[in-house]
């Protein structure tokens, strides 16, 4: 079990520790279905096994999460940092659970359910790269368009001046 959990943790840079205790069978089934659609792995784990798995991973520091490992624990593991937060927020329109205990996203630790809004607004790597490229392209596009419009203006002025001189 520890090796299985370790394998899940090593594969991903996004780990949400949630509480789904008290959810009825229908809500739990709906949550699992929503996770599957959102490409999020949901796994109910024992806290001691999860901590041992976390301690066994050398290149990731999960120390700040250990105090969150109390009560019932379910892991939500995703490739996208904000996907589980969006799913939880959307799911809670119909239910009070799942509650966020803590999250580990690209080495940053977020503790408590009040961090859900912050996590939901995180941008993925692809979104950030797209924004940077857009910002870099914007001045270039402005200069090119000004040069193109300026060229037409200069050509118009030269033509007008040549017509006046005739």
């Amino acid at each position: 079990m520890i090796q299985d959990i370790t394998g899940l943790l090593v594969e991903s840079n996004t780990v949400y520790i949630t509480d789904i205790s008290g959810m009825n069978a229908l809500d739990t089934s709906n949550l699992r279905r929503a996770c599957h659609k959102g490409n999020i792995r949901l796994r109910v784990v024992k806290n001691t096994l999860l901590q041992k798995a976390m301690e066994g991973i050398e290149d990731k520091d999960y120390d700040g999460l250990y105090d969150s490992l109390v009560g019932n624990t379910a892991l939500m593991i995703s490739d996208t940092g904000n996907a589980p937060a969006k799913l939880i927020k959307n799911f809670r329109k119909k239910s009070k659970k799942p509650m966020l205990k803590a999250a580990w996203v690209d080495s940053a630790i977020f503790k408590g359910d009040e961090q859900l809004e912050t996590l939901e607004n995180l941008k993925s790597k692809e979104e950030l790269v797209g924004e940077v490229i857009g910002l870099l392209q914007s001045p270039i596009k402005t200069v090119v368009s000004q040069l193109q419009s300026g060229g037409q203006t200069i050509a118009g002025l030269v033509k007008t001046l040549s017509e006046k001189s005739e």
Side-chain angles (χ1 to χ4, degrees):
M1 287 296 288
I2 293 172
Q3 288 176 343
D4 188 37
I5 296 168
T6 302
L8 288 172
L9 295 174
V10 167
E11 290 174 6
S12 180
N13 286 329
T14 302
V15 178
Y16 281 57
I17 299 172
T18 63
D19 177 9
I20 62 171
S21 65
M23 290 178 67
N24 62 35
L26 179 63
D27 285 344
T28 304
S29 179
N30 288 338
L31 178 62
R32 288 185 183 278
R33 220 175 275 119
C35 285
H36 183 71
K37 282 182 184 176
N39 208 14
I40 299 168
R41 290 170 293 229
L42 179 69
R43 174 81 51 92
V44 177
V45 295
K46 292 206 172 275
N47 293 323
T48 53
L49 297 179
L50 177 58
Q51 185 168 343
K52 286 183 187 278
M54 288 176 164
E55 289 170 348
I57 300 172
E58 295 177 13
D59 60 336
K60 294 182 180 178
D61 183 17
Y62 292 110
D63 291 348
L65 298 176
Y66 297 153
D67 59 343
S68 300
L69 301 178
V70 291
N72 292 328
T73 299
L75 288 179
M76 291 179 130
I77 298 176
S78 173
D79 295 329
T80 308
N82 62 0
K86 289 180 179 181
L87 184 134
I88 290 170
K89 196 135 189 194
N90 189 39
F91 197 82
R92 290 214 321 227
K93 291 177 183 174
K94 303 172 200 158
S95 174
K96 291 181 181 180
K97 299 271 178 143
M99 298 295 288
L100 178 68
K101 292 181 181 182
W104 190 87
V105 180
D106 291 323
S107 300
I109 294 176
F110 301 86
K111 287 187 177 183
D113 198 57
E114 63 277 356
Q115 295 292 320
L116 200 57
E117 186 85 24
T118 303
L119 287 163
E120 184 181 26
N121 293 325
L122 284 179
K123 297 193 180 203
S124 70
K125 189 178 194 178
E126 292 78 20
E127 290 171 326
L128 289 173
V129 168
E131 281 186 14
V132 168
I133 290 172
L135 288 171
L136 291 173
Q137 285 180 340
S138 181
I140 294 170
K141 287 180 179 177
T142 304
V143 168
V144 168
S145 69
Q146 287 177 349
L147 286 174
Q148 287 175 341
S149 66
Q152 294 169 350
T153 306
I154 293 172
L157 282 173
V158 170
K159 184 178 178 185
T160 305
L161 290 174
S162 68
E163 288 174 356
K164 279 189 177 182
S165 64
E166 291 175 359

